[in-house]
Amino acid sequence: MFQWSKKVVKSVTFNPEIADDSLLAQVENYLEAQPDKTFSDLCKEALWKVLCFPESGQQVANTANITPVEQKIDEMQRQMTGFEERFFARESQRLEAMESQMLQLTQQVAKLAIILGQQPPTYIPPDPDSVSVAQAIPQEVDPAISRIGQFLDDF
């Protein structure tokens, strides 16, 4: 007769996102500091605290003989982890939005380059008669306009 294994295995997937990377780094740091614990132990503890004692673990803290200072440290670490998750999620969204805008701008520049490459130059030189009249009248030349004029001539 076939016997079923009493172990139940569930997997945890960490996606290549900033929030997941941050969480994975926290897990690795925690496990390095406590070499007697495994990832499985950490998951079970976290699930136990969240599902069985949702009031942030006051009962758990009392049964584990944790000092008030350690309770405060644990609470501050949880708050910091929550802050980091929210921060990285927000920054990830901002980064994705910037990448999307950069892609749109790149596409627009490519379209403009195609349009400019297909059209013949539309520069029409000035009439020689109007140039001689303009040169006869002394004018003060603005350096900024002079530089812009050079770009227009090149274009």
Side-chain angles (χ1 to χ4, degrees), residues 44-61 75 78:
K44 289 176 198 174
E45 285 178 19
L47 290 170
W48 185 262
K49 287 178 184 178
V50 170
L51 298 176
C52 298
F53 297 104
E55 277 77 41
S56 182
Q58 282 298 335
Q59 292 115 349
V60 173
E75 179 61 28
R78 281 193 292 277

PDB file of all heavy atoms in Angstrom, residues 44-61 75 78:
ATOM      1  N   LYS A  44       7.087  29.752   8.770  1.00  0.00           N
ATOM      2  CA  LYS A  44       6.100  29.246   9.736  1.00  0.00           C
ATOM      3  C   LYS A  44       5.871  30.250  10.858  1.00  0.00           C
ATOM      4  O   LYS A  44       4.733  30.501  11.257  1.00  0.00           O
ATOM      5  CB  LYS A  44       6.548  27.903  10.302  1.00  0.00           C
ATOM      6  CG  LYS A  44       6.472  26.772   9.306  1.00  0.00           C
ATOM      7  CD  LYS A  44       7.023  25.505   9.933  1.00  0.00           C
ATOM      8  CE  LYS A  44       7.363  24.484   8.884  1.00  0.00           C
ATOM      9  NZ  LYS A  44       8.035  23.310   9.465  1.00  0.00           N
ATOM     10  N   GLU A  45       6.957  30.831  11.378  1.00  0.00           N
ATOM     11  CA  GLU A  45       6.824  31.829  12.441  1.00  0.00           C
ATOM     12  C   GLU A  45       6.019  33.031  11.961  1.00  0.00           C
ATOM     13  O   GLU A  45       5.130  33.520  12.661  1.00  0.00           O
ATOM     14  CB  GLU A  45       8.200  32.292  12.910  1.00  0.00           C
ATOM     15  CG  GLU A  45       8.939  31.310  13.763  1.00  0.00           C
ATOM     16  CD  GLU A  45      10.328  31.806  14.151  1.00  0.00           C
ATOM     17  OE1 GLU A  45      10.578  33.036  14.066  1.00  0.00           O
ATOM     18  OE2 GLU A  45      11.158  30.968  14.528  1.00  0.00           O
ATOM     19  N   ALA A  46       6.338  33.500  10.778  1.00  0.00           N
ATOM     20  CA  ALA A  46       5.633  34.670  10.243  1.00  0.00           C
ATOM     21  C   ALA A  46       4.161  34.362  10.030  1.00  0.00           C
ATOM     22  O   ALA A  46       3.283  35.168  10.384  1.00  0.00           O
ATOM     23  CB  ALA A  46       6.283  35.125   8.941  1.00  0.00           C
ATOM     24  N   LEU A  47       3.871  33.210   9.463  1.00  0.00           N
ATOM     25  CA  LEU A  47       2.472  32.827   9.253  1.00  0.00           C
ATOM     26  C   LEU A  47       1.747  32.651  10.579  1.00  0.00           C
ATOM     27  O   LEU A  47       0.581  33.032  10.711  1.00  0.00           O
ATOM     28  CB  LEU A  47       2.397  31.545   8.415  1.00  0.00           C
ATOM     29  CG  LEU A  47       2.799  31.700   6.959  1.00  0.00           C
ATOM     30  CD1 LEU A  47       2.929  30.343   6.286  1.00  0.00           C
ATOM     31  CD2 LEU A  47       1.799  32.570   6.219  1.00  0.00           C
ATOM     32  N   TRP A  48       2.415  32.082  11.550  1.00  0.00           N
ATOM     33  CA  TRP A  48       1.813  31.895  12.857  1.00  0.00           C
ATOM     34  C   TRP A  48       1.440  33.250  13.474  1.00  0.00           C
ATOM     35  O   TRP A  48       0.334  33.436  13.971  1.00  0.00           O
ATOM     36  CB  TRP A  48       2.792  31.149  13.769  1.00  0.00           C
ATOM     37  CG  TRP A  48       2.217  30.796  15.101  1.00  0.00           C
ATOM     38  CD1 TRP A  48       2.375  31.478  16.259  1.00  0.00           C
ATOM     39  CD2 TRP A  48       1.374  29.685  15.397  1.00  0.00           C
ATOM     40  NE1 TRP A  48       1.695  30.873  17.265  1.00  0.00           N
ATOM     41  CE2 TRP A  48       1.063  29.759  16.764  1.00  0.00           C
ATOM     42  CE3 TRP A  48       0.855  28.638  14.650  1.00  0.00           C
ATOM     43  CZ2 TRP A  48       0.248  28.843  17.398  1.00  0.00           C
ATOM     44  CZ3 TRP A  48       0.055  27.711  15.288  1.00  0.00           C
ATOM     45  CH2 TRP A  48      -0.244  27.809  16.638  1.00  0.00           C
ATOM     46  N   LYS A  49       2.376  34.193  13.390  1.00  0.00           N
ATOM     47  CA  LYS A  49       2.116  35.518  13.960  1.00  0.00           C
ATOM     48  C   LYS A  49       0.996  36.240  13.228  1.00  0.00           C
ATOM     49  O   LYS A  49       0.156  36.881  13.845  1.00  0.00           O
ATOM     50  CB  LYS A  49       3.389  36.368  13.908  1.00  0.00           C
ATOM     51  CG  LYS A  49       4.427  35.957  14.917  1.00  0.00           C
ATOM     52  CD  LYS A  49       5.678  36.805  14.789  1.00  0.00           C
ATOM     53  CE  LYS A  49       6.755  36.333  15.737  1.00  0.00           C
ATOM     54  NZ  LYS A  49       7.996  37.110  15.588  1.00  0.00           N
ATOM     55  N   VAL A  50       0.972  36.126  11.911  1.00  0.00           N
ATOM     56  CA  VAL A  50      -0.036  36.860  11.134  1.00  0.00           C
ATOM     57  C   VAL A  50      -1.412  36.206  11.243  1.00  0.00           C
ATOM     58  O   VAL A  50      -2.414  36.887  11.429  1.00  0.00           O
ATOM     59  CB  VAL A  50       0.398  36.945   9.652  1.00  0.00           C
ATOM     60  CG1 VAL A  50      -0.726  37.471   8.793  1.00  0.00           C
ATOM     61  CG2 VAL A  50       1.607  37.841   9.527  1.00  0.00           C
ATOM     62  N   LEU A  51      -1.450  34.894  11.143  1.00  0.00           N
ATOM     63  CA  LEU A  51      -2.735  34.213  11.084  1.00  0.00           C
ATOM     64  C   LEU A  51      -3.310  33.854  12.455  1.00  0.00           C
ATOM     65  O   LEU A  51      -4.521  33.900  12.642  1.00  0.00           O
ATOM     66  CB  LEU A  51      -2.614  32.939  10.233  1.00  0.00           C
ATOM     67  CG  LEU A  51      -2.220  33.181   8.780  1.00  0.00           C
ATOM     68  CD1 LEU A  51      -2.023  31.863   8.059  1.00  0.00           C
ATOM     69  CD2 LEU A  51      -3.251  34.036   8.069  1.00  0.00           C
ATOM     70  N   CYS A  52      -2.457  33.518  13.389  1.00  0.00           N
ATOM     71  CA  CYS A  52      -2.955  33.075  14.693  1.00  0.00           C
ATOM     72  C   CYS A  52      -3.006  34.191  15.732  1.00  0.00           C
ATOM     73  O   CYS A  52      -3.825  34.158  16.636  1.00  0.00           O
ATOM     74  CB  CYS A  52      -2.094  31.925  15.214  1.00  0.00           C
ATOM     75  SG  CYS A  52      -2.154  30.485  14.132  1.00  0.00           S
ATOM     76  N   PHE A  53      -2.116  35.173  15.612  1.00  0.00           N
ATOM     77  CA  PHE A  53      -2.089  36.292  16.550  1.00  0.00           C
ATOM     78  C   PHE A  53      -1.987  37.599  15.768  1.00  0.00           C
ATOM     79  O   PHE A  53      -0.947  38.253  15.760  1.00  0.00           O
ATOM     80  CB  PHE A  53      -0.895  36.168  17.513  1.00  0.00           C
ATOM     81  CG  PHE A  53      -0.955  34.956  18.376  1.00  0.00           C
ATOM     82  CD1 PHE A  53      -0.152  33.857  18.107  1.00  0.00           C
ATOM     83  CD2 PHE A  53      -1.819  34.895  19.456  1.00  0.00           C
ATOM     84  CE1 PHE A  53      -0.206  32.731  18.896  1.00  0.00           C
ATOM     85  CE2 PHE A  53      -1.879  33.765  20.254  1.00  0.00           C
ATOM     86  CZ  PHE A  53      -1.075  32.673  19.970  1.00  0.00           C
ATOM     87  N   PRO A  54      -3.061  37.992  15.105  1.00  0.00           N
ATOM     88  CA  PRO A  54      -2.963  39.179  14.254  1.00  0.00           C
ATOM     89  C   PRO A  54      -2.743  40.484  15.008  1.00  0.00           C
ATOM     90  O   PRO A  54      -2.396  41.478  14.415  1.00  0.00           O
ATOM     91  CB  PRO A  54      -4.300  39.203  13.514  1.00  0.00           C
ATOM     92  CG  PRO A  54      -5.212  38.341  14.289  1.00  0.00           C
ATOM     93  CD  PRO A  54      -4.360  37.369  15.055  1.00  0.00           C
ATOM     94  N   GLU A  55      -2.917  40.525  16.315  1.00  0.00           N
ATOM     95  CA  GLU A  55      -2.690  41.758  17.066  1.00  0.00           C
ATOM     96  C   GLU A  55      -1.217  41.989  17.317  1.00  0.00           C
ATOM     97  O   GLU A  55      -0.806  42.365  18.404  1.00  0.00           O
ATOM     98  CB  GLU A  55      -3.452  41.739  18.399  1.00  0.00           C
ATOM     99  CG  GLU A  55      -4.901  42.151  18.282  1.00  0.00           C
ATOM    100  CD  GLU A  55      -5.760  41.029  17.695  1.00  0.00           C
ATOM    101  OE1 GLU A  55      -5.554  39.863  18.066  1.00  0.00           O
ATOM    102  OE2 GLU A  55      -6.610  41.332  16.861  1.00  0.00           O
ATOM    103  N   SER A  56      -0.391  41.726  16.339  1.00  0.00           N
ATOM    104  CA  SER A  56       1.038  42.049  16.368  1.00  0.00           C
ATOM    105  C   SER A  56       1.816  41.283  17.421  1.00  0.00           C
ATOM    106  O   SER A  56       2.869  41.709  17.840  1.00  0.00           O
ATOM    107  CB  SER A  56       1.219  43.562  16.544  1.00  0.00           C
ATOM    108  OG  SER A  56       2.564  43.896  16.518  1.00  0.00           O
ATOM    109  N   GLY A  57       1.277  40.167  17.887  1.00  0.00           N
ATOM    110  CA  GLY A  57       2.082  39.236  18.669  1.00  0.00           C
ATOM    111  C   GLY A  57       2.267  39.534  20.135  1.00  0.00           C
ATOM    112  O   GLY A  57       3.288  39.166  20.685  1.00  0.00           O
ATOM    113  N   GLN A  58       1.340  40.173  20.810  1.00  0.00           N
ATOM    114  CA  GLN A  58       1.497  40.383  22.248  1.00  0.00           C
ATOM    115  C   GLN A  58       1.526  39.045  22.985  1.00  0.00           C
ATOM    116  O   GLN A  58       2.335  38.834  23.858  1.00  0.00           O
ATOM    117  CB  GLN A  58       0.372  41.273  22.805  1.00  0.00           C
ATOM    118  CG  GLN A  58       0.551  42.744  22.534  1.00  0.00           C
ATOM    119  CD  GLN A  58       1.807  43.309  23.174  1.00  0.00           C
ATOM    120  OE1 GLN A  58       2.340  42.811  24.148  1.00  0.00           O
ATOM    121  NE2 GLN A  58       2.319  44.385  22.582  1.00  0.00           N
ATOM    122  N   GLN A  59       0.617  38.114  22.598  1.00  0.00           N
ATOM    123  CA  GLN A  59       0.617  36.814  23.255  1.00  0.00           C
ATOM    124  C   GLN A  59       1.890  36.041  22.928  1.00  0.00           C
ATOM    125  O   GLN A  59       2.447  35.365  23.774  1.00  0.00           O
ATOM    126  CB  GLN A  59      -0.604  35.977  22.822  1.00  0.00           C
ATOM    127  CG  GLN A  59      -1.910  36.555  23.342  1.00  0.00           C
ATOM    128  CD  GLN A  59      -2.792  37.034  22.202  1.00  0.00           C
ATOM    129  OE1 GLN A  59      -2.361  37.125  21.061  1.00  0.00           O
ATOM    130  NE2 GLN A  59      -4.025  37.359  22.514  1.00  0.00           N
ATOM    131  N   VAL A  60       2.357  36.117  21.684  1.00  0.00           N
ATOM    132  CA  VAL A  60       3.565  35.419  21.289  1.00  0.00           C
ATOM    133  C   VAL A  60       4.754  35.949  22.071  1.00  0.00           C
ATOM    134  O   VAL A  60       5.596  35.195  22.545  1.00  0.00           O
ATOM    135  CB  VAL A  60       3.808  35.561  19.765  1.00  0.00           C
ATOM    136  CG1 VAL A  60       5.147  34.980  19.385  1.00  0.00           C
ATOM    137  CG2 VAL A  60       2.695  34.888  19.002  1.00  0.00           C
ATOM    138  N   ALA A  61       4.833  37.252  22.249  1.00  0.00           N
ATOM    139  CA  ALA A  61       5.959  37.848  22.963  1.00  0.00           C
ATOM    140  C   ALA A  61       5.983  37.376  24.413  1.00  0.00           C
ATOM    141  O   ALA A  61       7.046  37.112  24.971  1.00  0.00           O
ATOM    142  CB  ALA A  61       5.871  39.362  22.904  1.00  0.00           C
ATOM    143  N   GLU A  75       9.285  45.368  17.059  1.00  0.00           N
ATOM    144  CA  GLU A  75       8.250  46.239  16.493  1.00  0.00           C
ATOM    145  C   GLU A  75       8.866  47.270  15.551  1.00  0.00           C
ATOM    146  O   GLU A  75       8.343  47.533  14.458  1.00  0.00           O
ATOM    147  CB  GLU A  75       7.469  46.940  17.610  1.00  0.00           C
ATOM    148  CG  GLU A  75       6.383  47.873  17.115  1.00  0.00           C
ATOM    149  CD  GLU A  75       5.312  47.171  16.305  1.00  0.00           C
ATOM    150  OE1 GLU A  75       5.049  45.970  16.514  1.00  0.00           O
ATOM    151  OE2 GLU A  75       4.715  47.830  15.430  1.00  0.00           O
ATOM    152  N   ARG A  78       9.774  45.591  12.321  1.00  0.00           N
ATOM    153  CA  ARG A  78       8.576  45.378  11.493  1.00  0.00           C
ATOM    154  C   ARG A  78       8.141  46.683  10.821  1.00  0.00           C
ATOM    155  O   ARG A  78       7.793  46.705   9.646  1.00  0.00           O
ATOM    156  CB  ARG A  78       7.441  44.801  12.329  1.00  0.00           C
ATOM    157  CG  ARG A  78       7.559  43.308  12.588  1.00  0.00           C
ATOM    158  CD  ARG A  78       6.265  42.737  13.147  1.00  0.00           C
ATOM    159  NE  ARG A  78       5.982  43.213  14.494  1.00  0.00           N
ATOM    160  CZ  ARG A  78       6.496  42.703  15.608  1.00  0.00           C
ATOM    161  NH1 ARG A  78       7.333  41.697  15.538  1.00  0.00           N
ATOM    162  NH2 ARG A  78       6.175  43.189  16.778  1.00  0.00           N
TER     163      ARG A  78
END
